[in-house]
Amino acid sequence: MSHSVPPPASMQVLLDRIVSASNTADVQSSLQSALEYPQDHPDVTIQADWILEHEELPEHLCWMLQHQTLKTSTSTAIEEDVLVLILKLYQQFLVQTSKCLSQPEPNRFLESLLDVMDSQASVYVRVLSLQLLLSVSQQHSRLANEQWLQAPNGLYRLADTLVKDLENPLEEAVRQEALAVAHCLVKQSPPMAKILVFAEVESRLLDATWTVYKGLTQGNVGVRQILEFVLDLLTALDDASLHELMWQRPSVPLRLTQLLDLRGGHQYLNPAEYVGKKKQKQVKKQQEKPKLGPLSSKRNQEEEDDDLDTLLQSTSSSSKEKKKSSADAPEESSEDLSDYPQLLEEEEEVVQLALKIAGVLLQVESLREQVWKHYAPRLCGFVWAMALTTPPRPETPTEFAYPSCRLQLSALELVATKLYSTEIMDHSKGLDRLLHVVCTGGGLASSLDERLQCSQAAVAVLRKLLDASRIHPILMRTLAPPPQDIPIETEGEAPPLPLEETEVQKLWNTVAVSTLPYVFAKTEESKSHRDEDHLTVQFTGALGGLTVFMIDEESREMLWQATPPMGSLDHMLEVLGSDTSSPTQHVRLGALFRFLCYYIEQSPTLVQHLLQSPASTPLATLATTTSDFQPLVWLLLGLSLEYFPTTMEECGGWTRASLMEVLQTIGISKVTKGLEAFKKKPQGLACELELQTWQTWYQQAVWTVRKRMVKELAGGSSLDDSDDDEHAEEASAAQLRPLQKLIAQQTEELEELREALRQAQSENVVQKDQLELWQRRMKSNPTQLDTLLNELTDQTSSLKQELSDMKQASASKEEAHAKEIEMMKQKLEEQAQESTRLEEESKEAQDDRDRMEQELSALSQAYSSLEDEYRRSAGGAAPASAPPGTPGAPTPTPIMSPGRSTEVATLRAENERMRQDAKAADDWMKMAVDKMNEMGSHNQQLKQQVASLQQQLSAGKASSEQKEALRQELERVMAQEQKYQEQLSTLQQRLQTQEAESSSLRQNLQQAEDYWKQSQEQWEQEKKDLQEQLDQANEVIVASVQTDVNYQTPPHQGSTAELQQLRDELDSKAAQIASMEEKVA
């Protein structure tokens, strides 16, 4: 093969020496010289084609990699240095081109690398082979993926390498490179991911995280790499049955549970490395306990007291604790955080990956209940405990290494989306602990944003767990607690404990304590910055938790009735009069307005209480003041306008007109745009799950407010077409009525459009998971996507070309079939003409028979004339006669006329012609059968083409429009085939009918021919007998005449009797001949 730039002579010599070398030393020196050639010749750039297009060199290189011997001498083993040089030669010069995968033949180079990977070579050589496999898989993904799937047990050999010699630390480098190759293949090809799953790679690798890398402790990099690979492996799978298969393998849930067990944290297992001196006593107590106990074990009595009641009591504790200086607070906070065992950053990454894997395995909703049921005590319990983490009391020993706020937030999101099981919540007393997280913001969260995220994520979990069946009993128990038996007090016995407060009472108490007047006042020794953030989280979290119980109008009324005096609307609205310059105050006000918007929805009673409160006066001022929460004030006023009590004209000085006047003062257009803009960028919501819930509710509320504003602008007109208005007093109202109706009609149309949009969005949610899966695939591997798109385009073009060719072939076949059908029609017409001709010949034969009858009549007349002549001669006219044989004697009349033989010859000729026609008909029938066989073969070919087209349709990846076009073309071809089949069947029937008629005609001709032969033979015999009788009669007559002439005597009576007898015989013969002619006719 010619090269555009041929190699230099010295380089060609080196390449030839590698092929012709007879020992290892020559090969090694030649390879070393080839690798150093660019250094020795800086002006020369080695091209891959010089090596790959060499006639024998690629074959020799692959042979040495596979067999580790020389090709010229198979008994000569090569050293590992030669293998290293070959691999480096490919790595430096050849792997950049895709030709390396096809020379000396496809799959040869990749299989050679797999053989090196599985060989007993050193770790360095095997690592080089795996690096080459990774390079070709990344740079030439399309061709490499095809060869990976075609290689004998290629992926299974790679899977075995991943778990080979796990206890041998020297194999770690090989295992890491093999994991990188497998990770690359999984991202590029989902089919290969399925093969690796069937090889149970993920199970064996997860086992290695515990047996080799010691699980969670210190977050080994090998554990993180394995978890990243398993996560991408499971993400690439789009078959839900495979996720179910993962849960059926014992290693997967077991190892995930071990990785999620926070008791494996390094600081928890080694407390002496981080605990301060003042905690040494606590360390000794903890060391006496077993390191690995159940995470969800029962807390002691002191820990059980750490609920919302304790939290509320802590806010009203002694003034000495509250009056610490702000300078001392951060130091104490940091010291307190350092006293708890925490997860290292590497361990945090391990747990995050384990949570993500669990989330992927729980994507199928049908599997969640099974997982909740079978793995609730362990795996699900660990995730719940992680989500409900709160710092223990100083005197309480820790039970695990504490997660960071980011990790706790991930656990809360997993619980809210995949593990929202009420059974697990009840088993772990999760409701009280969830409310504690709602009001405190989690365990080790330090900043306000982190605590708000955890608090709002816990509210999202509550929304998933609490439904009407649980909310209504809690509210009923709050309003009407069950009766308690009061025992008779006896001396020395303690009084009975009071009833435990319900969840609603605890949340209302938290709100009440958080809104005390001194909380938001700014005095010189009021509180530290940490206390302010703590109270802000309490206030916003408690309000968010109360919104969970607002599921209908009834529940809102019950919440209002359960409100304590310190948590009433008047008390909460006092916050509006405080300073709004503080960032935390903005957060509190935003949470308050969100709560109020939730609170008054669909409840005119609560709107009445809100507007009658004296503290609602600042609403008008806040509505006109620019702030982060200004759109929430507009929304609150709009909802008040919508649910304004219909039985009252004013509430606390507020009327519908005054509320509308406030909004008009701002500007209706500005209010509408501000409400729509706030929907996209709400303030104060840090959790994504709670943000989605808020946006859904907010959109509905905004539409309600907009409809109410349109109605108010239209003068309160209804949406009907009635023109009667008894209360219209001014002409301007009559003039504005059409505009009012138009606005009302537009409102109704907007409502219909909104409903249609809501239905469309609900339908799109069904396809959300699948679209997200494809989006992840496209983002993770754009190169492969481009390749797939190119393949799809090429395949579409080829299918279009094949379709065009098939159309042309079908058209040509249709034309050929039309010609054949035309020919068959012509043949049938010719056969019909032949049948007509045969009928005419039969008619001619009938005419011939008529002529024969006429000839027989002439023969009878000849007999009569002969008899008359005889009588005349017997009556005296003998002298005028002469006997036969004498001069002047009359000549006897022959029996048959001279034309009789000519007619017989004509009949024979006609019979011969009919036989030839029958033979021609047989030949035509044979030709018709051949044509039918040919049409059958064409029909078979057409069926094969249809089957091929169906296979192409099933194997192709054309778009839906192309598949539809191909399907229509297939249906058209099948319809045409059916049409041809029907025509062929009709033709076959006609041919069979014609063949039967021809056979019948041949039989009739044969019978006629046989009959004519028999009749001719009888005729000849009769003619011969008659001629003999005539001769005898003539002889008798001549003898009698001669006797009479000689003796001149009248005839004897005996002679007359003989003549009469002869005449009778002739008449009988004539009658027989007439009967024969009738038979012939």
Side-chain angles (χ1 to χ4, degrees), residues 126-177:
R126 295 162 62 197
V127 167
L128 281 179
S129 65
L130 287 167
Q131 289 177 351
L132 282 174
L133 286 172
L134 179 61
S135 298
V136 296
S137 300
Q138 290 176 342
Q139 298 180 22
H140 319 294
S141 58
R142 178 181 176 182
L143 183 58
N145 291 343
E146 294 178 358
Q147 296 189 4
W148 270 105
L149 294 173
Q150 295 174 2
N153 296 325
L155 293 173
Y156 289 98
R157 295 165 70 182
L158 179 63
D160 293 337
T161 305
L162 289 171
V163 293
K164 183 179 180 180
D165 295 337
L166 293 175
E167 302 298 332
N168 187 1
L170 297 178
E171 292 290 327
E172 181 64 25
V174 178
R175 188 159 46 250
Q176 295 296 331
E177 291 295 333

Side-chain angles (χ1 to χ4, degrees), residues 48-172:
D49 291 343
W50 296 352
I51 302 174
L52 295 177
E53 295 184 358
H54 194 279
E55 294 180 355
E56 300 180 6
L57 184 56
E59 173 65 27
H60 281 258
L61 294 177
C62 291
W63 176 277
M64 287 186 283
L65 289 175
Q66 284 185 299
H67 304 281
Q68 299 183 9
T69 61
L70 294 178
K71 185 174 178 60
T72 56
S73 178
T74 56
S75 61
T76 304
I78 60 176
E79 299 177 356
E80 287 192 355
D81 294 340
V82 177
L83 295 177
V84 172
L85 293 175
I86 295 174
L87 294 175
K88 286 185 176 181
L89 182 67
Y90 272 97
Q91 192 175 35
Q92 293 182 15
F93 305 120
L94 306 181
V95 78
Q96 291 77 14
T97 176
S98 61
K99 288 184 179 180
C100 65
L101 293 172
S102 57
Q103 294 294 334
E105 58 186 12
N107 295 350
R108 183 69 179 280
F109 176 59
L110 191 139
E111 292 178 6
S112 302
L113 294 177
L114 289 175
D115 291 338
V116 176
M117 179 191 70
D118 284 342
S119 66
Q120 300 298 325
S122 63
V123 173
Y124 180 62
V125 175
R126 295 162 62 197
V127 167
L128 281 179
S129 65
L130 287 167
Q131 289 177 351
L132 282 174
L133 286 172
L134 179 61
S135 298
V136 296
S137 300
Q138 290 176 342
Q139 298 180 22
H140 319 294
S141 58
R142 178 181 176 182
L143 183 58
N145 291 343
E146 294 178 358
Q147 296 189 4
W148 270 105
L149 294 173
Q150 295 174 2
N153 296 325
L155 293 173
Y156 289 98
R157 295 165 70 182
L158 179 63
D160 293 337
T161 305
L162 289 171
V163 293
K164 183 179 180 180
D165 295 337
L166 293 175
E167 302 298 332
N168 187 1
L170 297 178
E171 292 290 327
E172 181 64 25

